[in-house]
């Protein structure tokens, strides 16, 4: 079994500093529960903090003449400036896939808006997103191909799914979340998708 | 009232002065909808803690643009104790305990990373047998770790005190009610004291012994917190069935 670090544990490996790793007097400490894989510290669970360039999935929850307000599954309110849409309009309840353009005190400005229609939204812990995508999107493509679905994964933990077998891909993603911290994940998901 | 709290050199429940109550159990990830949660059994104490956030601070005037804030609410259920507690709402005692717990947690949670947000910590005492504030704090710290909220280090809490003329660790209800002093305290893993209250009288030497016992007791609790996470992540998580809209 891999060693599990809890907050305050010294990390001896040279991992990169992040929200989950803090440095004090030349030593690295974990700040959340997680494990070390290669050169990086993998948190099992971590609150989402937006960074410029993140691709996220959001839900429009309010609109005003010049701005739309978007639920981003975090403490930040997403803002879509109406003129950035070049004439297109959004409605309350619309799901969008967007890039984070600017992070402000308690809001984020979104750009490159893509409206997603006729799908389902799933909420997952944002720390599991890298596992759902996999190396070079291998895991995501595996699920997409096996279930004939279109999937948009937001760094904020919202996953939008549409297509033929939505139920099966939801099952696969749930399995990834439950087993993300164990080894042999890809094979297991492959087997699961090939059966039934 | 004069009560015999020691019998043949042992405490009423058969413990030595430095023993913690049993059973001592901690489980994390027990609630489905909370971001983080923990359930603790400590002697006859049964504590449930749930954590939400960081999320938008509402009402807005609570928001601090420089650091996040913690909202901590401790409640004792109506059926928690021997006496009838009546309704569960906030009262003098629960407001005090919520405050000291919040202040203890503010020392370790990295609030500067979450400006303008609020982190909510809710604790319910399902059953009580003395020392609920320390067991609540130990469970709350585990729930915060389970929620993935960055913390500098864990904290754990235990009460020491004096009963029947001896300094003892982890008072139960009788020792608390009929003893001479009760000193709940919380430590960070590096040894800083983040909660310290005292009810009753102790000499300087007795207090030093009490703190020494307290530190030894919390070391066991830190191990317990670590074990809880090792157990949680040694097998597939069964806690979370994802919501689908």
């Amino acid at each position: 079994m891999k060693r599990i670090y809890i907050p305050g544990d010294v990390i001896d490996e040279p991992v990169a500093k992040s929200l989950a790793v803090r440095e004090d007097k030349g030593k690295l400490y974990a700040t959340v529960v997680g494990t070390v894989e290669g050169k990086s510290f993998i948190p099992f669970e971590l609150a989402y903090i937006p960074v410029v360039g993140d691709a996220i999935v959001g839900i429009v929850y309010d609109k005003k003449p010049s701005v739309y307000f978007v639920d981003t599954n975090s403490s930040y309110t997403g803002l879509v400036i109406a003129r950035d849409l070049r004439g297109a309009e959004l409605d309350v309840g619309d799901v969008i896939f967007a890039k984070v353009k600017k992070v402000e005190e308690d809001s984020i400005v979104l750009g490159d808006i893509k409206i997603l229609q006729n799908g389902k939204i799933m909420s997952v812990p944002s720390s599991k997103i890298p596992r759902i995508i996999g190396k070079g999107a291998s895991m995501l493509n595996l699920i997409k191909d096996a279930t004939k679905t279109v999937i948009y994964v937001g760094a904020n933990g919202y996953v939008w799914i549409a297509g033929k077998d939505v139920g099966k891909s939801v099952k696969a993603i749930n399995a990834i979340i439950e087993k993300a911290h164990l080894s042999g994940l890809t094979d297991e998901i492959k087997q699961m998708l090939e059966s039934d | 009232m004069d009560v015999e709290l020691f019998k043949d050199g042992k405490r009423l429940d058969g413990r030595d002065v430095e023993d913690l109550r049993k059973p001592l159990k901690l489980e994390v990830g027990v609630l489905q909808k909370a971001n983080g949660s923990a359930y603790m059994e400590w002697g006859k104490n049964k504590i449930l803690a749930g954590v939400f956030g960081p999320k938008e601070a509402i009402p807005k005037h609570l928001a601090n643009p420089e650091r996040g804030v913690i909202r901590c609410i401790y409640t004792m259920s109506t059926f928690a104790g021997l006496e009838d507690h009546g309704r569960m709402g906030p009262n003098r005692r629960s407001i005090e305990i919520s405050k000291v717990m919040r202040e203890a947690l503010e020392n370790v949670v990295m609030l500067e990373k979450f400006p303008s947000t609020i982190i909510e910590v809710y604790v319910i005492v399902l059953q009580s047998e003395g020392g609920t504030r320390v067991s609540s704090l130990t469970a709350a710290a585990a729930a915060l770790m389970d929620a993935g909220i960055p913390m500098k280090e864990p904290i754990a809490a235990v009460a020491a005190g004096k009963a029947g003329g001896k300094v003892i660790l982890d008072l139960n209800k009788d020792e608390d009610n009929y003893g001479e002093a009760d000193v709940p305290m919380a430590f960070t893993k590096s040894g800083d004291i983040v909660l310290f209250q005292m009810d009753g009288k102790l000499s300087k030497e007795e207090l030093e012994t009490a703190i020494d016992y307290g530190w030894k007791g919390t070391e066991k609790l830190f191990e317990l917190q670590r074990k809880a996470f090792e157990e949680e992540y040694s097998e597939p998580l069964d806690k979370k069935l994802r919501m689908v809209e």
Side-chain angles (χ1 to χ4, degrees):
Chain A
M1 203 178 83
K2 280 180 234 158
R3 183 182 162 194
I4 287 169
Y5 292 79
I6 67 168
D9 284 357
V10 178
I11 304 172
D12 287 326
E13 264 110 320
V15 295
K17 264 200 293 174
S18 65
L19 186 59
V21 181
R22 88 188 161 92
E23 193 180 357
D24 189 18
K25 291 176 190 141
K27 274 187 177 172
L28 296 172
Y29 296 88
T31 67
V32 295
V33 181
T35 185
V36 172
E37 247 172 57
K39 285 253 160 29
S40 48
F41 180 78
I42 313 282
F44 288 149
E45 196 88 41
L46 184 61
Y48 174 66
I49 292 191
V51 178
V52 173
D54 277 358
I56 66 164
V57 173
I59 307 166
V60 179
Y61 72 84
D62 197 5
K63 65 177 190 178
K64 287 194 171 157
S66 63
V67 64
Y68 296 94
F69 296 95
V70 181
D71 164 20
T72 61
N73 195 24
S74 70
S75 59
Y76 294 76
T77 307
L79 301 175
V80 176
I81 314 295
R83 65 164 190 273
D84 291 353
L85 291 170
R86 299 208 178 85
E89 274 195 25
L90 294 175
D91 258 320
V92 172
D94 278 358
V95 178
I96 58 167
F97 185 70
K99 281 246 165 75
V100 177
K101 290 287 176 196
K102 200 172 163 194
V103 181
E104 283 169 3
E105 191 193 291
D106 56 0
S107 57
I108 45 180
V109 180
L110 302 173
D112 299 346
I113 312 292
K114 192 175 167 115
I115 303 174
L116 307 175
Q117 278 166 333
N118 304 326
K120 296 267 183 205
I121 279 216
M122 193 179 170
S123 160
V124 305
S126 59
S127 56
K128 312 285 187 202
I129 295 295
R131 284 298 205 163
I132 294 171
I133 295 172
K135 270 199 192 110
S138 57
M139 186 72 88
L140 192 58
N141 288 335
L142 186 74
I143 301 173
K144 277 180 179 173
D145 293 345
T147 59
K148 302 204 169 46
T149 48
V150 184
I151 303 177
Y152 281 91
V153 181
N156 57 336
Y158 276 161
V159 179
W160 181 88
I161 310 166
K164 201 178 159 211
D165 204 342
V166 175
K168 201 172 182 185
S169 43
V170 169
K171 256 189 212 161
I173 291 172
N174 268 326
I176 297 172
I177 296 161
E178 283 164 15
K179 293 166 187 171
H181 54 283
L182 305 173
S183 49
L185 183 68
T186 316
D187 294 336
E188 199 161 321
I189 300 298
K190 215 179 246 171
Q191 264 181 15
M192 183 186 157
L193 289 167
E194 277 163 8
S195 69
D196 63 60
Chain B
M1 203 192 328
D2 233 15
V3 179
E4 196 70 47
L5 291 170
F6 276 88
K7 229 178 195 175
D8 311 329
K10 295 260 185 189
R11 288 154 75 175
L12 292 182
D13 45 11
R15 285 183 291 159
D16 279 329
V17 287
E18 264 188 274
D19 288 347
L20 294 173
R21 274 171 285 177
K22 276 176 187 161
L24 190 55
K25 282 198 283 191
L26 179 66
E27 200 181 328
V28 293
V30 289
L31 300 176
Q32 207 179 86
K33 293 285 179 183
N35 295 130
S37 54
Y39 172 70
M40 186 164 201
E41 280 183 24
W42 184 347
K44 291 194 182 94
N45 287 324
K46 291 184 181 174
I47 316 273
L48 196 54
V51 168
F52 294 88
K55 57 191 206 181
E56 191 185 357
I58 294 175
K60 273 281 183 190
H61 68 81
L62 288 178
N64 179 342
E66 279 170 7
R67 52 196 279 123
V69 290
I70 295 179
R71 171 186 290 146
C72 180
I73 296 181
Y74 162 103
T75 345
M76 203 172 229
S77 65
T78 45
F79 42 77
L82 295 171
E83 304 89 26
D84 186 6
H85 278 270
R87 64 192 182 103
M88 267 174 80
N91 53 33
R92 183 199 60 77
R93 184 173 171 278
S94 76
I95 291 170
E96 177 217 328
I97 296 179
S98 303
K99 177 183 178 287
V100 294
M101 281 175 59
R102 189 193 74 229
E103 286 172 353
L105 292 170
E106 278 170 352
N107 285 294
V108 287
V109 177
M110 294 166 76
L111 292 168
E112 66 277 8
K113 302 282 184 194
F114 303 96
S116 299
T117 65
I118 194 161
I119 293 164
E120 298 175 330
V121 181
Y122 298 111
V123 179
I124 292 186
V125 178
L126 301 173
Q127 185 170 290
S128 80
E129 193 220 3
T132 55
R133 78 186 64 198
V134 288
S135 26
S136 295
L137 193 50
T138 308
L144 276 163
M145 286 189 253
D146 184 46
I149 291 170
M151 290 162 82
K152 289 195 201 94
E153 48 191 330
I155 56 179
V158 68
K162 189 179 167 191
K166 284 189 191 170
V167 178
I168 52 170
L169 180 68
D170 192 19
L171 290 73
N172 64 24
K173 191 170 166 39
D174 295 331
E175 290 163 340
D176 186 7
N177 291 1
Y178 304 112
E180 289 102 293
D182 175 27
V183 189
M185 53 188 127
F187 293 88
T188 68
K189 209 180 160 200
S190 55
D192 292 337
I193 293 177
V194 289
L195 176 142
F196 193 86
Q197 296 181 290
M198 183 154 102
D199 184 9
K201 278 184 186 163
L202 287 178
S203 71
K204 192 177 169 230
E205 290 73 32
E206 284 167 342
L207 187 58
E208 277 169 4
T209 319
I211 294 174
D212 188 39
Y213 284 179
W215 171 242
K216 280 180 194 155
T218 35
E219 280 185 324
K220 286 177 196 157
L221 296 170
F222 288 130
E223 259 333 286
L224 185 73
Q225 285 174 341
R226 178 185 304 281
K227 263 198 203 122
F229 284 101
E230 280 173 355
E231 238 160 64
E232 173 78 356
Y233 288 107
S234 63
E235 50 190 55
L237 309 176
D238 55 355
K239 59 172 175 176
K240 276 156 188 166
L241 289 167
R242 296 292 139 192
M243 61 160 184
V244 179
E245 280 176 15

